[in-house]
Amino acid sequence: MAPQLDLALKHAPLRAPAPLFERGKPASGPRSQPGFMKLLGALAFAFLLALPFIDASAYTISIATSALIYVMLCMGLNVVVGYAGLLDLGYIAFFAVGAYVSGILTTVLDWPMWAAVPATILACVLAGIIIGGPTLRLRSDYLAIVTLGFGEIIRITANNLDVTGGPSGIHGIPTWSFGDWSFRDGLDLFGLHFSGTVLFYYFVAIVVATVGIVGVGRLARGRMGRAWKAVRDDEDAAEAMGINTYFTKISAYIIGAVWAGLAGQLMATHLTAISPNSFHFLYSALILMAVVLGGMGSTPGVIIGGLFVSLAPELLREFAEWRYLIFGVLLVVVMIFRPAGLWPATAVLPWLRRHKPQAWPATAPLESLGGDDRAEVGPAAGARPAPADPRAQDPADDGEVRR
Amino acid sequence: MSALLEVRDLHLRFGGVKAVDGLSFDVHEGEILAVIGPNGAGKTSAFNCISGFYRPTSGTIDFEGRSIMRVLPSTITRRGMARTFQNLRLFKEMTVLDNVKTAMHANLREGFFDTLLHTPRYRRAEEACAREAQGWLDFVGFEGDEQLYVTQLPYGEQRRVEIARALATSPKLLLLDEPAAGLNYGEKQGLMRLIRKIRDLGVGIVLIEHDMGLVMDLAERIVVLNYGKEIADGTPAQIKADPVVIEAYLGAEDDEALDDTTLTGMVATVDDEVPPSGDAGGRSA
Amino acid sequence: MMQLIWNGLIVGSFYSLVALGYSMVYGIIKLLNFAHGDIYMLGAFVGFLVLSSFGGIPAAMSIPALLVILLLAMVVTGLIGVAIERVAYRPLRSSPRLAVLITAIGVSFTLEYGIRQLFGPNPRAFPVRLSSESFDVLGMRVSLSQLVLVVVAAVLMFVLAHIVERTREGRAMRAIALDPQAAHLMGVNVNRVIATVFFIGSALAGAAGVMAGAYYGSIDFLMGFVIGLKAFTAAVIGGIGNLYGAMLGGLLLGLLESFGAAWLGGEWRDVFSFAILIVILTFKPTGLLGARVVERM
């Protein structure tokens, strides 16, 4: 089952010899790691959908909506910090860009909210390039301070300009409307009447957050995600592997910016008003804490972190007063004792079926492999199971190179 | 046959220290060339110039007839020159398989939206990528579990993975920086077989190595550096008999000690990042 | 015009004092001590505590009393700096930079919000105000307190330069900055020297905090945040790791800001200095006095 290599790979002077044996299919099903995570995700999704039927009070739904917005922000920052290893201390600036762009377009220019979505994305891509362009060549610690400076620049600018409403910000951001119908009108579905903008925002937030979570997960496992992690682990080695580290970093930055911008637009509609105070450095730090505490580069960890950071002050009123102090101490403690976070990216849940190491074929032509001293040890090879690929039995075959 | 790599009169200075001082050599397709020299002779610095990590002070470097001066290392790799590092630089928080897959970055037809939407193109690319990566792992004789994180592997296996990773970039020329460092006798024998096998694929190989036995056995041609200067270029037999080389290697214990201190001085003045390692680290030739 | 220069120099000397600590710590362990600005804030609060426990201080005595308190606050903040290094940074010395940086942010939050829990979120009035009598020099209005401030800052910087250039400790610091491993092999007690650096850097920031409290008359738990950023900017302008660079950078930033604010309006002051930071890092990341650094692999 050789895949169509020429469709998948660009022309390259050297192709690998065929593998000596076919690897078994990766584990699947609910007791494998990916299967279990899918199941968990589906359950969480179902719970979110069911929540309004359990407790439809405006308070609950509203908290849940802002928690989802936080999760969206955390997923975006996770790309920047967790995967690409770039410490961004001004991340909230992109949230601000999203919120202000959609706010200004819908109030000043009277655009419908849905039309503001592509504009928000475009603005965030641009903001990512403008902020990332000059700064991403810097060393990691300089980057942290410069992004912090940029975050403050954006906030102070929003505070000083007229078009952004100055210190009082923008009010009366309209709700979503499609033609004549808007969220305010409610909807009759399956004999049920859905009403109240709060509920609609909640569903929009579910959709956006789900897309955000699944999207980041997919990107992280693909070609681009590997490049991000390579840059994080060793920039020089990544460069030596043909990865343009600068563009890779900018791509991570742009993804982070777009995710934050969409979250910003959600928040602008959810709260109908925005002001510069919502984009203080504190919030950048809060999102960063969520990502770090949960586990950088770990989707479940970051979701848990985001939920914790957003829900804890609501659920524990006492806690709200102390939260920044506690978060500060937690950051230090976690970094010293559990730097990979609560749910590390490399975690393998203990009750799941463990992945089985590949077995080498018995008759693999070890001598021709450039194998080490083990090649001389005959009997060890006898213990290996039979090869899955007959090709492996022919020593001459592994020299076959498609050029 | 024109040369794959042509280095002419290469100079590299760090402040006042001449790390590479007038180096010229050629490498041809399917040839194994070794670069040797006492500690701190500028071998790794020369490698770093060729692979684009340092900007040479002067000289020319042509790869397949095109200049690769002032070209990004990633672009040089895409043009077909791969390298390994002296002190293993695998991606530590990635699995063995992902390490090798990462090296196929530039050759993979997989766009942003393919990944996001899991299009057939994405599936095809990922499948081919995994297959190629496994092919290279098998080729280098990696026998461990490819789903392990690289830090879980013994040192010798990590070396193999690094070579597989370099091969996965699909190179015409492979630069190996002390590939035998830290390997035991058996592993070195395996490495020699592997390097010959890579050569048989038609890949040119440049090799920095301290193990003279291995170099004399393996290399078809040897370039000897001392104090950044090229002092000899010839077949192993010629090199063995060259009085200048013998002088450089055996003539002066003091020379080498002196060499170490100058390099340490250099590292201290130009570098606030990395403590001196490798060349200055006192590994004996 | 001259007034702008003088005001710039006053603010600049605060920046310089804080920037010195930034630069020293960065120079020696390559750590961007994010919590450094908060040490400045702590200095102000230590001064506040001591002064308010004494009750009032007669105006005539205010300058000598302030100097005593300054020294006291320097010792306290210096020790706090050493404690922070011991508890939060030392365990992570071999960790990736990202981890240490995040820890520093944690420390910063701990200090800021710890003080907030202790002293409340509202600004406190500093119990001593320096008299604002002023006289004219070269067309600038100069007050006695400003003069004292500049003199104290200059003395502190002079002492620091002496320590680093002339003493054994200073030589050890420079050695570690160049190569920690080699310094260790040469018998330098690396941990002790790093602790000393934290002590000196934090003491300087603490001194700046007390002076700022006395000069501006009001202190709050977030006062270190912006000055931390500005001081970092100053350190980068001068070339991070370079002490004279930090001093120069602080004064320069003070001046630039003073003119920038006069030109663009006070509300753009911070934007202006962050923009300077970004421009400098983009075009000359080594700063004015920084050595050209070849990043070796």
Side-chain angles (χ1 to χ4, degrees):
Chain A
M1 42 142 270
Q4 299 139 292
L5 287 175
D6 289 324
L7 287 174
L9 302 174
K10 294 189 184 141
H11 171 75
L14 192 65
R15 289 275 170 80
L20 291 176
F21 63 100
E22 292 293 336
R23 271 62 168 175
K25 285 247 174 268
S28 60
R31 285 201 55 216
S32 71
Q33 183 90 6
F36 180 77
M37 295 317 295
K38 268 184 195 152
L39 186 69
L40 212 60
L43 285 177
F45 187 72
F47 171 77
L48 284 178
L49 287 183
L51 182 68
F53 300 99
I54 301 166
D55 179 358
S57 72
Y59 175 71
T60 309
I61 298 300
S62 165
I63 290 177
T65 308
S66 53
L68 286 169
I69 293 173
Y70 265 93
V71 168
M72 183 74 184
L73 273 171
C74 291
M75 288 314 290
L77 186 63
N78 187 32
V79 170
V80 180
V81 180
Y83 292 127
L86 307 163
L87 187 51
D88 186 346
L89 296 180
Y91 186 63
I92 209 74
F94 297 122
F95 189 59
V97 169
Y100 272 107
V101 165
S102 55
I104 291 171
L105 288 179
T106 51
T107 55
V108 180
L109 303 178
D110 288 325
W111 286 27
M113 190 50 86
W114 57 265
V117 173
T120 303
I121 293 177
L122 193 69
C124 287
V125 170
L126 282 179
I129 293 172
I130 291 169
I131 297 184
T135 55
L136 288 174
R137 291 188 198 280
L138 301 174
R139 292 215 299 263
S140 58
D141 33 15
Y142 282 12
L143 180 72
I145 290 280
V146 172
T147 50
L148 174 50
F150 257 121
E152 289 293 284
I153 287 180
I154 297 256
R155 182 179 64 83
I156 298 170
T157 306
N159 201 40
N160 291 348
L161 290 181
D162 287 334
V163 67
T164 54
S168 54
I170 299 177
H171 323 265
I173 295 167
T175 186
W176 293 78
S177 57
F178 301 90
D180 292 338
W181 181 82
S182 88
F183 278 0
R184 238 176 268 291
D185 302 335
L187 190 65
D188 288 300
L189 262 187
F190 313 118
L192 286 166
H193 180 70
F194 289 86
S195 69
T197 51
V198 176
L199 201 58
F200 280 107
Y201 294 144
Y202 174 67
F203 283 113
V204 173
I206 293 180
V207 171
V208 173
T210 307
V211 170
I213 292 168
V214 173
V216 166
R218 287 184 168 187
L219 288 175
R221 283 190 302 273
R223 171 175 174 268
M224 195 183 253
R226 283 191 296 266
W228 290 338
K229 293 179 214 166
V231 168
R232 171 195 69 191
D233 283 0
D234 190 329
E235 214 174 312
D236 290 330
E239 188 76 31
M241 292 303 114
I243 294 168
N244 184 320
T245 51
Y246 181 61
F247 286 119
T248 302
K249 288 195 266 185
I250 289 208
S251 74
Y253 220 65
I254 290 175
I255 299 289
V258 170
W259 259 239
L262 291 176
Q265 182 168 18
L266 279 183
M267 200 200 65
T269 49
H270 174 57
L271 300 181
T272 71
I274 48 178
S275 76
N277 277 337
S278 325
F279 310 109
H280 197 270
F281 164 70
L282 265 183
Y283 296 97
S284 288
L286 212 58
I287 307 295
L288 178 71
M289 285 171 190
V291 172
V292 172
L293 298 181
M296 286 180 278
S298 150
T299 301
V302 167
I303 293 172
I304 293 170
L307 292 178
F308 174 68
V309 161
S310 56
L311 294 181
E314 299 289 344
L315 300 180
L316 308 160
R317 281 281 159 203
E318 288 291 297
F319 177 77
E321 174 84 347
W322 291 85
R323 65 175 157 172
Y324 292 116
L325 179 57
I326 293 172
F327 284 150
V329 175
L330 268 180
L331 267 189
V332 178
V333 171
V334 164
M335 272 297 124
I336 293 176
F337 296 105
R338 199 176 164 82
L342 199 67
W343 187 319
T346 58
V348 178
L349 298 173
W351 63 87
L352 295 179
R353 235 175 333 175
R354 297 188 74 93
H355 130 89
K356 276 198 288 290
Q358 255 102 31
W360 260 63
T363 46
L366 286 172
E367 196 53 40
S368 70
L369 291 173
D372 62 358
D373 45 338
R374 268 172 297 171
E376 271 98 41
V377 187
R384 297 190 177 108
D389 185 358
R391 208 193 302 249
Q393 290 170 348
D394 181 5
D397 210 334
D398 81 79
E400 171 209 38
V401 172
R402 286 143 296 162
R403 289 195 128 249
Chain B
M1 187 172 75
S2 76
L4 195 55
L5 177 73
E6 275 185 39
V7 178
R8 287 287 171 273
D9 202 26
L10 189 70
H11 289 264
L12 174 72
R13 303 165 70 115
F14 290 120
V17 183
K18 293 170 181 166
V20 181
D21 190 13
L23 174 65
S24 304
F25 66 89
D26 291 347
V27 190
H28 300 273
E29 258 178 43
E31 179 184 39
I32 301 179
L33 173 81
V35 179
I36 62 170
N39 284 325
K43 305 179 296 286
T44 297
S45 296
F47 254 37
N48 285 340
C49 288
I50 295 168
S51 54
F53 285 96
Y54 290 173
R55 184 168 289 179
T57 319
S58 65
T60 61
I61 307 171
D62 289 350
F63 183 64
E64 294 188 302
R66 287 162 76 194
S67 171
I68 49 168
M69 297 280 284
R70 295 174 169 265
V71 172
L72 277 178
S74 53
T75 312
I76 294 177
T77 305
R78 282 163 195 239
R79 287 201 196 157
M81 186 198 297
R83 68 167 292 175
T84 65
F85 292 89
Q86 188 175 328
N87 35 354
L88 279 179
R89 294 178 69 168
L90 291 167
F91 305 121
K92 293 199 175 68
E93 289 176 46
M94 295 168 80
T95 62
V96 171
L97 191 63
D98 276 350
N99 260 276
V100 184
K101 277 179 170 178
T102 303
M104 302 190 52
H105 184 84
N107 291 332
L108 222 49
R109 290 181 201 272
E110 180 187 327
F112 172 76
F113 289 102
D114 294 327
T115 320
L116 207 56
L117 304 174
H118 278 195
T119 59
R121 239 159 82 103
Y122 164 81
R123 285 176 212 285
R124 214 157 48 208
E126 285 298 305
E127 210 173 290
C129 179
R131 202 177 158 78
E132 289 271 306
Q134 288 160 352
W136 284 122
L137 282 169
D138 288 354
F139 179 82
V140 300
F142 174 79
E143 294 180 33
D145 179 356
E146 60 202 27
Q147 300 295 341
L148 285 180
Y149 286 87
V150 285
T151 44
Q152 295 171 284
L153 298 178
Y155 186 78
E157 295 286 282
Q158 292 192 23
R159 281 261 172 227
R160 259 175 229 275
V161 174
E162 205 190 18
I163 293 175
R165 193 179 66 169
L167 287 171
T169 64
S170 183
K172 295 172 190 140
L173 179 70
L174 178 62
L175 310 181
L176 298 170
D177 195 347
E178 294 197 25
L183 299 187
N184 64 29
Y185 177 77
E187 288 170 332
K188 279 184 185 169
Q189 295 306 309
L191 179 74
M192 281 166 66
R193 279 195 295 274
L194 175 60
I195 291 176
R196 290 207 181 93
K197 238 174 70 173
I198 297 170
R199 188 259 326 268
D200 292 343
L201 297 178
V203 177
I205 292 170
V206 185
L207 166 81
I208 292 181
E209 192 44 69
H210 275 303
D211 184 325
M212 280 306 132
L214 188 139
V215 168
M216 294 295 164
D217 234 12
L218 199 59
E220 289 147 12
R221 215 149 48 78
I222 299 178
V223 172
V224 188
L225 290 185
N226 197 19
Y227 295 111
K229 278 194 168 59
E230 183 183 330
I231 58 173
D233 180 344
T235 64
Q238 289 167 338
I239 296 296
K240 267 185 210 165
D242 192 324
V244 185
V245 177
I246 295 170
E247 163 80 30
Y249 265 89
L250 307 172
E253 293 271 295
D254 309 47
D255 261 355
E256 190 154 329
L258 198 126
D259 206 14
D260 267 5
T261 48
T262 41
L263 189 87
T264 313
M266 177 186 88
V267 168
T269 46
V270 296
D271 170 32
D272 64 348
E273 283 279 329
V274 190
S277 62
D279 271 2
R283 201 177 286 137
S284 66
Chain C
M1 173 69 190
M2 292 305 273
Q3 194 62 45
L4 284 180
I5 294 181
W6 178 242
N7 291 345
L9 285 179
I10 298 284
V11 181
S13 55
F14 286 136
Y15 292 164
S16 291
L17 281 178
V18 184
L20 276 171
Y22 248 125
S23 210
M24 286 177 76
V25 169
Y26 190 89
I28 201 156
I29 51 172
K30 307 292 170 277
L31 161 69
L32 210 161
N33 185 6
F34 201 81
H36 193 65
D38 299 308
I39 302 278
Y40 162 92
M41 177 270 293
L42 281 184
F45 273 90
V46 171
F48 170 80
L49 258 185
V50 176
L51 276 171
S52 31
S53 60
F54 276 133
I57 283 178
M61 284 294 290
S62 63
I63 287 178
L66 207 63
L67 288 179
V68 175
I69 287 159
L70 192 76
L71 285 177
L72 203 69
M74 283 174 73
V75 173
V76 175
T77 50
L79 291 177
I80 293 174
V82 172
I84 289 171
E85 192 272 330
R86 182 72 194 82
V87 173
Y89 300 150
R90 194 176 296 178
L92 290 164
R93 208 173 284 156
S94 56
S95 306
R97 277 191 184 185
L98 192 66
V100 193
L101 216 52
I102 290 170
T103 312
I105 293 167
V107 171
S108 167
F109 265 75
T110 310
L111 294 181
E112 283 173 11
Y113 288 88
I115 290 293
R116 183 180 184 271
Q117 293 306 326
L118 288 176
F119 292 90
N122 297 321
R124 294 294 191 98
F126 209 70
V128 65
R129 253 339 274 271
L130 294 172
S131 65
S132 52
E133 319 164 33
S134 58
F135 33 89
D136 282 5
V137 183
L138 297 171
M140 310 182 281
R141 274 187 56 240
V142 176
S143 73
L144 190 63
S145 57
Q146 288 176 328
L147 215 54
V148 172
L149 210 143
V150 171
V151 170
V152 171
V155 168
L156 287 175
M157 289 187 224
F158 180 78
V159 171
L160 176 73
H162 179 80
I163 292 177
V164 173
E165 302 265 309
R166 299 263 184 267
T167 64
R168 237 171 79 88
E169 283 288 279
R171 196 161 54 229
M173 285 173 201
R174 283 176 289 145
I176 294 176
L178 286 176
D179 187 337
Q181 281 182 358
H184 183 67
L185 290 174
M186 294 300 146
V188 175
N189 184 340
V190 174
N191 281 338
R192 211 190 66 195
V193 175
I194 291 176
T196 313
V197 166
F198 267 87
F199 182 87
I200 296 175
S202 305
L204 289 177
V210 174
M211 296 202 291
Y215 182 64
Y216 296 114
S218 136
I219 59 176
D220 66 88
F221 72 103
L222 280 177
M223 68 190 275
F225 173 69
V226 168
I227 198 160
L229 262 178
K230 299 274 183 72
F232 174 80
T233 308
V236 167
I237 290 177
I240 197 153
N242 182 318
L243 296 189
Y244 297 108
M247 298 178 199
L248 181 75
L251 295 179
L252 210 60
L253 183 66
L255 288 175
L256 282 171
E257 243 186 42
S258 174
F259 282 99
W263 172 47
L264 292 169
E267 73 270 27
W268 293 101
R269 173 190 292 267
D270 291 353
V271 171
F272 184 69
S273 42
F274 297 145
I276 291 176
L277 170 70
I278 291 160
V279 169
I280 294 235
L281 279 179
T282 309
F283 294 104
K284 192 161 173 27
T286 53
L288 297 178
L289 299 186
R292 199 179 74 92
V293 177
V294 180
E295 283 207 42
R296 283 172 59 97
M297 304 196 306

